[in-house]
């Protein structure tokens, strides 16, 4: 065995036997296991270590997290909001305004996909993306409420929910809470609502007929679960909000203790 030969060549004869060398060889193999990929890994000799940790998400901080492709996509979507208002009120073109709103809602996943796929996740993006979604949804709700293309009570339910979420976020920030990641249930509700309202707007812009009726049905099919997910998200955010508040206060107390030393 090559390992045994190396051991016997480097250690004086009489200080170790061949059986000792074999035992040493086996102990070394267990102490430094190597996986089939050639990298140190886990073997059955050490079952208490558990599975190897998965890949860790890399989050860009500072200026490196500002100039990214996902943030550019988010800013382009935000910049289209005035265009939507111009089409709806200045041109009085509900069809094109609704189509643009639908495109903005459909591309909501693009920035997140690019960030995850190409490792461009950033702290700025995690704040900018949900903020953009709320601005777009809030402006769209006020616009369609004034225009009358969406049932008033539906628009008010969305607006009240967005106002409550914004107040909670501002309150937590004022109390020193840490940032809360967006939950899938809230993101799903926003996504469905951003699809529902284009159906209503475009439907209000076409002549009565089968297309008008179909768009109304699709709008109700999206806005029903969209409102349910959105309001349910308020309860889902409560545990993370408490944890964020606790962690934020602990971090602030630790910084204060370090500065006083």
């Amino acid at each position: 065995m090559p390992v045994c030969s190396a051991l016997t060549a480097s250690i004086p004869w009489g200080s170790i036997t061949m059986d000792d060398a074999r035992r040493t060889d086996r102990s070394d193999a267990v102490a430094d296991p190597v996986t089939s990929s050639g990298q140190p890994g886990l073997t059955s000799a050490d079952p208490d270590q558990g599975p190897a940790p998965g890949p860790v998400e890399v989050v860009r901080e500072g200026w490196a997290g500002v100039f990214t492709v996902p943030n550019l996509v988010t800013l382009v979507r935000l910049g289209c909001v005035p265009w939507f208002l111009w089409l709806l009120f200045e041109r009085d073109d509900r069809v094109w305004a609704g189509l643009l709103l639908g495109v903005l809602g459909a591309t909501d996943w693009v920035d997140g996909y690019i960030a995850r796929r190409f490792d461009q996740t950033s702290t700025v993006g995690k704040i900018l993306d949900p903020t953009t979604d709320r601005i777009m949804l809030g402006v769209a709700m006020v616009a369609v409420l004034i225009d009358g293309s969406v049932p008033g009570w539906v628009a008010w339910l969305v607006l009240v929910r967005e106002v409550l979420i914004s107040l909670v976020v501002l309150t937590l920030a004022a109390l020193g809470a840490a940032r809360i990641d967006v939950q899938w249930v809230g993101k799903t509700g926003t996504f469905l609502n951003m699809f529902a309202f284009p159906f209503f707007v475009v439907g209000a812009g076409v002549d009565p007929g089968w297309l008008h009726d179909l768009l109304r049905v699709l709008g109700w099919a999206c806005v029903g679960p969209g409102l349910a997910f959105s309001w349910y998200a308020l309860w889902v955010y409560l545990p993370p909000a408490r944890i964020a508040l606790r962690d934020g206060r602990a971090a602030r107390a630790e910084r204060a203790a370090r500065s006083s030393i």
Side-chain angles (χ1 to χ4, degrees):
M1 181 182 295
V3 176
C4 294
S5 301
L7 288 172
T8 54
S10 60
I11 299 177
W13 292 105
S15 63
I16 187 169
T17 65
M18 292 298 295
D19 290 336
D20 293 332
R22 293 190 182 97
R23 285 195 295 271
T24 303
D25 179 26
R26 288 194 297 270
S27 65
D28 288 343
V30 173
D32 188 19
V34 177
T35 63
S36 60
S37 62
Q39 300 296 328
L42 298 176
T43 66
S44 58
D46 195 7
D48 295 334
Q49 291 187 14
V56 178
E57 181 186 46
V58 178
V59 180
R60 300 190 181 190
E61 304 285 350
W63 288 108
V66 175
F67 301 103
T68 64
V69 174
N71 291 345
L72 178 61
V73 173
T74 303
L75 290 176
V76 170
R77 295 176 61 238
L78 182 61
C80 289
V81 173
W83 188 16
F84 162 74
L85 295 176
W86 178 77
L87 287 172
L88 185 62
F89 294 114
E90 184 67 24
R91 291 289 303 274
D92 195 21
D93 193 337
R94 288 174 169 174
V95 174
W96 280 107
L99 290 175
L100 176 60
L101 187 61
V103 170
L104 296 179
T107 55
D108 182 33
W109 62 274
V110 174
D111 45 9
Y113 171 79
I114 295 175
R116 293 186 297 270
R117 177 65 176 81
F118 299 99
D119 294 328
Q120 295 192 14
T121 303
S122 64
T123 301
V124 174
K126 289 187 175 183
I127 298 174
L128 183 62
D129 182 52
T131 302
T132 299
D133 290 341
R134 289 196 177 92
I135 292 175
M136 289 175 52
L137 192 57
V139 171
M141 289 308 94
V142 173
V144 298
L145 186 61
I146 296 174
D147 180 67
S149 54
V150 173
W153 65 271
V154 173
W156 277 112
L157 280 177
V158 175
L159 282 174
V160 170
R161 188 261 183 190
E162 293 303 315
V163 169
L164 288 176
I165 285 289
S166 299
L167 290 176
V168 169
V169 171
L170 291 175
T171 302
L172 289 174
L175 294 176
R179 184 183 54 81
I180 303 175
D181 287 335
V182 177
Q183 304 294 316
W184 73 267
V185 63
K187 195 73 173 176
T188 302
T190 301
F191 187 77
L192 288 172
N193 288 333
M194 289 297 293
F195 262 107
F197 296 113
F199 286 134
F200 284 122
V201 175
V202 176
V206 300
D207 296 329
W210 68 269
L211 182 58
H212 170 83
D213 296 337
L214 176 62
L215 292 171
R216 298 284 292 184
V217 170
L218 291 175
W220 285 112
C222 290
V223 80
L227 289 173
F229 277 116
S230 297
W231 281 92
Y232 177 65
L234 290 176
W235 300 101
V236 173
Y237 276 109
L238 287 179
R242 289 194 293 265
I243 296 174
L245 184 59
R246 181 194 63 196
D247 294 346
R249 287 177 172 176
R252 185 168 55 181
E254 182 180 356
R255 288 194 299 268
R258 289 179 177 178
S259 61
S260 62
I261 297 177

